[in-house]
Amino acid sequence: MLQQLDLIEKEALAALQAVNDEVDLGGWRVAHLGRSSPLMKMFDQLGTLPKEERPSIGRRANEVKRALESAQTSRAGALRQNALLRSLQMERLDVTLPGRPIAHGRLHPVTQNLREIYSIFADMGFQVYRSRDVETDEFNFQLLNFPPHHPAREMQDSFYISGDHPKDNPVLLRTHTSPGQIHAMREYSATNPENPPPVRIILPGMCYRYEQVTARSEIQFNQVEGLAVGERITMGDLKGTLSDFARRMFGQHVRSRFRASHFPFTEPSAEMDIECFVCGGVGCPLCKRTGWLEILGCGMVHPIVLHNGGYNPERYTGFAFGMGPERIALLRYRIEDIRYFWTNDMRFLEQFI
Ligand code: DAH
């Protein structure tokens, strides 16, 4: 039996050498010191031994048990030490490695253009007025002097939310930012109906038209509307303000011109062109060989529109304008397809810092 105990000790210690982690060590403990391990079985058998053998075998069995326990403790310590060393080696922090670049967020190119437009008009004393995206036929058309069957409506096919007959005053997605003129004038004039205060605002926002989507037209786009109403505002103020805007936006030396046009809500109406910045006015494919690029529509606010906003047209005059920032960005950056703006392709968007 003494020999058997020697063998148990030898085998257990040899097996311990092969243990390499905490889980294995647990298994080793069960196998060699657990209830049904060979060593424990020896203890169980002690009672069956002749009396004179019991002390020496018992002593030896206890010795083996202590030896295995202390071997287990020191193996556990060694394993912990190894694990620590390994993690120190593998997870060593190399402070000389180059850092990982942090991706910079950036503003959408149209937002960048919008902000530039806001800041130019802010310098001239215009405030930003936010108006709703969902309108009624009345505000989108009628109060702006588009009667129910006016042909100018043809230019602005609409997304109807309810009905589509003007007489029923359907709800629709605004086709332009101009209805904001009525909301703003009514809000301002309500503060003092006898002497309405002057208005000097820009109205930015998304507009929607039921159109075929092409490289040049989208069903969704921004506009920035402008409105100035007061006493003695003239066409000279309109031209001065917009020419100054063009110089600040496109460069101090850019030339601009006004061409007669027609909008139901302005009289007289005009379109403003700037000299083509690609060819300098000589004529090129961008300006279709005219030397000019159209950037906005404008005019003196129609008396009916002033009246609909609560401003007496006998006393007040005003000018208004409307431009499309996507269109301006197309021209500025010479982008050939307007659809890029809302496709969310990072390869396109990342080009605008
Ligand atoms: N609302 C016009 C459109 O979408 C743009 C416009 C033209 C706005 C002339 C104006 C203006 O305020 O005076 O086509």
Side-chain angles (χ1 to χ4, degrees):
M1 273 195 98
L2 282 174
Q3 275 169 1
Q4 225 174 315
L5 279 168
D6 289 346
L7 194 65
I8 287 176
E9 182 178 24
K10 210 169 126 205
E11 277 178 5
L13 292 177
L16 191 59
Q17 289 308 308
V19 164
N20 275 321
D21 60 36
E22 302 259 338
V23 180
D24 284 357
L25 191 61
W28 180 89
R29 191 187 162 79
V30 173
H32 300 281
L33 286 165
R35 216 163 251 300
S36 41
S37 63
L39 179 61
M40 291 306 152
K41 291 218 179 91
M42 293 294 270
F43 279 106
D44 294 344
Q45 287 168 29
L46 278 180
T48 67
L49 293 178
K51 239 194 180 125
E52 54 288 2
E53 282 182 25
R54 269 186 228 164
S56 63
I57 304 282
R59 204 177 312 118
R60 180 65 187 131
N62 273 319
E63 254 175 44
V64 172
K65 185 166 177 252
R66 274 197 300 278
L68 294 190
E69 279 169 352
S70 94
Q72 185 213 350
T73 312
S74 63
R75 187 78 190 143
L79 286 178
R80 265 199 303 280
Q81 193 66 22
N82 276 347
L84 181 64
L85 279 176
R86 211 173 318 128
S87 88
L88 281 177
Q89 246 159 27
M90 290 188 9
E91 292 157 29
R92 199 166 351 162
L93 182 66
D94 182 350
V95 291
T96 65
L97 279 176
R100 287 191 203 120
I102 297 171
H104 282 281
R106 62 193 87 193
L107 294 173
H108 190 281
V110 173
T111 308
Q112 293 181 26
N113 266 272
L114 276 169
R115 292 198 179 178
E116 219 176 309
I117 296 170
Y118 300 164
S119 92
I120 292 171
F121 283 107
D123 280 351
M124 299 193 233
F126 285 77
Q127 292 189 332
V128 171
Y129 185 95
R130 298 261 168 207
S131 186
R132 61 199 72 173
D133 285 29
V134 180
E135 280 294 356
T136 56
D137 188 275
E138 184 187 18
F139 277 84
N140 197 75
F141 293 120
Q142 295 167 38
L143 294 168
L144 291 167
N145 197 30
F146 288 81
H149 296 290
H150 196 281
R153 285 172 174 248
E154 296 246 318
M155 304 272 295
Q156 305 194 5
D157 265 348
S158 316
F159 287 109
Y160 289 96
I161 289 176
S162 71
D164 63 1
H165 197 281
K167 146 170 115 10
D168 303 328
N169 193 23
V171 176
L172 45 85
L173 298 182
R174 65 175 170 191
T175 56
H176 52 171
T177 42
S178 306
Q181 291 190 24
I182 304 287
H183 290 295
M185 281 191 284
R186 287 191 173 178
E187 192 178 318
Y188 277 67
S189 61
T191 62
N192 188 351
E194 295 310 311
N195 285 301
V199 179
R200 202 184 288 182
I201 51 174
I202 53 171
L203 307 99
M206 211 39 111
C207 303
Y208 311 84
R209 287 190 200 174
Y210 183 59
E211 290 199 1
Q212 184 167 9
V213 178
T214 67
R216 311 207 72 232
S217 59
E218 260 284 17
I219 56 172
Q220 181 182 340
F221 50 91
N222 282 284
Q223 281 193 346
V224 177
E225 185 93 9
L227 176 68
V229 177
E231 290 177 81
R232 294 184 296 278
I233 289 186
T234 68
M235 187 96 181
D237 296 313
L238 162 78
K239 291 181 79 173
T241 305
L242 291 178
S243 307
D244 193 35
F245 163 73
R247 282 192 293 271
R248 294 189 196 212
M249 188 86 187
F250 300 102
Q252 278 308 308
H253 301 292
V254 77
R255 292 200 303 155
S256 50
R257 72 174 185 186
F258 292 80
R259 264 181 303 110
S261 183
H262 172 266
F263 300 102
F265 38 89
T266 45
E267 182 58 36
S269 305
E271 263 156 339
M272 183 185 180
D273 300 336
I274 57 164
E275 196 172 62
C276 178
F277 37 68
V278 171
C279 62
V282 182
C284 72
L286 182 73
C287 58
K288 302 203 192 89
R289 318 225 165 268
T290 61
W292 297 94
L293 299 168
E294 181 194 321
I295 60 160
L296 55 82
C298 57
M300 299 305 289
V301 182
H302 196 288
I304 290 181
V305 174
L306 285 171
H307 175 264
N308 289 341
Y311 283 78
N312 176 0
E314 301 287 325
R315 183 173 156 200
Y316 292 90
T317 52
F319 67 79
F321 56 87
M323 66 183 90
E326 282 92 340
R327 252 166 214 282
I328 292 180
L330 281 187
L331 295 173
R332 271 183 121 182
Y333 309 129
R334 277 165 251 163
I335 296 164
E336 70 271 17
D337 195 320
I338 199 165
R339 289 170 289 196
Y340 284 137
F341 286 125
W342 308 116
T343 316
N344 283 345
D345 186 332
M346 294 300 280
R347 289 169 302 178
F348 170 74
L349 296 173
E350 276 173 359
Q351 296 174 56
F352 303 90
I353 308 152

